[in-house]
Amino acid sequence: MTFLNAKEGSKLVAQPRASWKGYLKIAELTCPVALYAAVSRSERIALHSVSRSSGSRLRRQFFDSVTDEPVEREDQVKGYEVGRDEYVVLEPEEIAAAVPRSDKTLAVSAFVDEAEIDEIYFDRPYYLAPSDRSAYEAFAVIHGGLSRTATVAIAETVLFRRARAVLIRASGPELAAITLNYDYEVRSARDAFADVPDIEIKGEMLELAEHIIQTKRGAFDPRAFHDRYEAALADLVKAKLEGRRIEPPKRAKPTPATDLMAALRESAGLGGKAPPPRTPERSEPRRGGRRKAAG
């Protein structure tokens, strides 16, 4: 990550703004750090609600569901529903008092193998960087330790008014931090697969599936994926500004395969032939993010 402003041609690259600043604490070792959002959606096209007749932007107004009268902002409070149209009202100062106090410390409680953590618990990614020059050496020590032991650190802190568990790992020459979902937030996979029977596939079907996968193996390149919705929306806005009309594309309706074996053979490009025998390949275990059923 580059912390100093730099010019790319005539374009000035702005210094990133930290989302949070504090201290990474491992036993008696303390390192001043800053969190930077690793994902930003600010480049997405934003659409606002406007009046069709006047073209002015609309303003949201809340109404009382019983009296149908508008409720001003100063009279709006939060409530927890305990029954139909029955709420426990919480005043802003009561909610503020319940927010955990922050000591601005990412306190590491354990080091674990990343493969032990199901990716379904991953929430939001950040970059974790030293916040000033005095932290460079301690940061390098922590990064080197995580890299050499191939482990990740589990820390806890208060981020954005919530107590959070955070995974910290070496990612190339940097450190990445990922907030983790709590166990009560993750739904059990059993609910989604309760009605799915356990079917054993073997023989030619399994060989065809393996053949298709092997012929389509490649490397992950995020630049190869394009947000077609954003591109289409940008084209639509541009056409509207230029007074042009865009005809919606004709979309082919997918037809489900009625013959699974025929579909597999067609996908494999083998016609009526059986797939060639596959040579077993040795593969190194992949670090991090082992998927397993939650619950």
Side-chain angles (χ1 to χ4, degrees), residues 249-278:
K250 294 181 179 179
R251 299 178 181 177
K253 187 176 181 180
T255 54
T258 55
D259 187 332
L260 181 57
M261 181 66 80
L264 285 168
R265 287 173 174 167
E266 185 69 25
S267 300
L270 300 175
K273 300 178 182 178
R278 184 171 66 87

Side-chain angles (χ1 to χ4, degrees), residues 124-186:
R124 188 173 178 84
Y126 294 87
Y127 297 120
L128 185 66
S131 59
D132 57 53
R133 293 180 180 274
S134 67
Y136 288 174
E137 188 174 18
F139 181 86
V141 169
I142 295 169
H143 180 278
L146 290 175
S147 297
R148 179 167 293 191
T149 59
T151 58
V152 297
I154 303 298
E156 292 183 86
T157 191
V158 175
L159 290 177
F160 320 123
R161 298 167 62 87
R162 279 197 64 194
R164 301 302 305 259
V166 181
L167 176 150
I168 301 168
R169 68 180 179 191
S171 178
E174 295 93 16
L175 287 183
I178 303 173
T179 52
L180 299 175
N181 296 314
Y182 285 112
D183 188 59
Y184 76 87
E185 296 175 306
V186 176

Side-chain angles (χ1 to χ4, degrees), residues 41-154:
R41 294 178 173 83
S42 61
E43 299 300 319
R44 288 184 176 179
I45 295 175
L47 299 178
H48 303 285
S49 296
V50 298
S51 169
R52 187 191 301 274
S53 57
S54 68
S56 302
R57 186 169 175 176
L58 301 180
R59 184 181 62 188
R60 180 174 294 179
Q61 174 71 63
F62 288 92
F63 291 83
D64 189 302
S65 61
V66 176
T67 66
D68 207 29
E69 294 292 328
V71 180
E72 298 303 324
R73 186 176 183 86
E74 59 270 18
D75 292 325
Q76 298 173 18
V77 293
K78 302 294 183 181
Y80 178 80
E81 188 172 12
V82 293
R84 184 175 178 83
D85 295 328
E86 184 180 356
Y87 299 87
V88 173
V89 174
L90 303 175
E91 296 294 339
E93 57 272 17
E94 294 174 323
I95 297 176
V99 173
R101 293 183 178 274
S102 173
D103 59 1
K104 295 290 185 180
T105 300
L106 269 167
V108 174
S109 57
F111 295 93
V112 302
D113 292 332
E114 187 175 358
E116 294 181 9
I117 304 175
D118 193 331
E119 289 178 0
I120 205 165
Y121 286 91
F122 290 5
D123 178 29
R124 188 173 178 84
Y126 294 87
Y127 297 120
L128 185 66
S131 59
D132 57 53
R133 293 180 180 274
S134 67
Y136 288 174
E137 188 174 18
F139 181 86
V141 169
I142 295 169
H143 180 278
L146 290 175
S147 297
R148 179 167 293 191
T149 59
T151 58
V152 297
I154 303 298

Side-chain angles (χ1 to χ4, degrees), residues 204 207-208 210-212 214-215 268-270 273-279:
E204 186 181 351
E207 292 174 3
L208 284 167
E210 292 177 346
H211 177 74
I212 294 169
Q214 291 298 331
T215 56
L270 300 175
K273 300 178 182 178
R278 184 171 66 87
T279 303

